[in-house]
Amino acid sequence: MTEQEDQAPKMLQLVNAWLDILIDKLHDALDFYEIGKLDGELWKSIIGHVIQANGDVDSVIVKFMQYGRFVDMGVGRGMSKGSRLELGESNFSKKRNRLGQLLKLRRKAKPWYSKTKWREVLRLRELLADNLSGRALGEVENALRNYTMML
């Protein structure tokens, strides 16, 4: 087994460990922003996959309910389907300001996903850079050893 083939399982283990930590941190962020219940559908829907190609890690995919993105961005429920005329002018404007925004339900972005994801992606980048730089140094060292043996 070559050194490069030996490194592939280590890289996979590194990325899988990072993915487990990311999912835990996403759960912590849901708890921090008080989004849903600890055993709610959004909580349960967070899953991750590591996709491999030719024995190397190709990509990492994190999936969850689309509702989670709406909460993250602070968008969602608003004007019902239909126009103002169908709803009746008085029913539409009862609980809305002149811009059509709801007065009682002020929606705020709860960046449980975007902040956590970017922070962890930067951490993965650091981990991979350390791993790959170590691998590159090892290959250079082996090449130098082989070169000196040839002399």
Side-chain angles (χ1 to χ4, degrees):
M1 180 181 273
T2 67
E3 188 173 332
Q4 191 172 18
E5 290 172 345
D6 186 41
Q7 291 292 330
K10 290 180 183 176
M11 182 75 74
L12 180 62
Q13 288 174 348
L14 175 75
V15 174
N16 276 323
W18 174 84
L19 181 60
D20 291 339
I21 291 169
L22 173 63
I23 291 172
D24 288 341
K25 294 215 176 188
L26 288 173
H27 286 149
D28 292 344
L30 284 174
D31 188 33
F32 177 78
Y33 286 106
E34 297 177 358
I35 300 168
K37 299 176 183 173
L38 296 181
D39 60 346
E41 289 185 32
L42 181 57
W43 179 279
K44 291 177 185 175
S45 71
I46 300 173
I47 57 171
H49 304 285
V50 176
I51 298 179
Q52 294 180 302
N54 299 326
D56 285 335
V57 175
D58 187 45
S59 59
V60 179
I61 297 176
V62 177
K63 295 181 182 181
F64 53 86
M65 291 175 56
Q66 186 178 12
Y67 162 75
R69 290 294 289 147
F70 296 145
V71 172
D72 183 69
M73 295 182 286
V75 299
R77 181 177 30 160
M79 197 166 81
S80 306
K81 290 181 185 176
S83 67
R84 291 182 183 202
L85 293 175
E86 290 174 2
L87 292 171
E89 191 65 37
S90 62
N91 287 337
F92 177 82
S93 58
K94 250 186 223 179
K95 295 181 181 177
R96 291 174 169 80
N97 63 15
R98 64 181 181 80
L99 298 174
Q101 299 165 331
L102 290 171
L103 296 175
K104 278 189 168 181
L105 301 174
R106 291 287 174 182
R107 209 174 294 112
K108 294 181 182 175
K110 297 179 179 179
W112 70 275
Y113 168 72
S114 54
K115 280 187 175 183
T116 307
K117 177 193 136 198
W118 283 112
R119 181 175 49 245
E120 293 304 315
V121 165
L122 291 176
R123 180 64 183 137
L124 177 63
R125 190 172 80 179
E126 291 172 2
L127 292 171
L128 292 177
D130 288 345
N131 186 297
L132 292 175
S133 65
R135 187 190 301 184
L137 286 174
E139 289 181 20
V140 169
E141 186 179 320
N142 286 338
L144 287 175
R145 263 193 226 132
N146 291 339
Y147 179 74
T148 56
M149 285 182 192
M150 292 172 59
L151 293 175

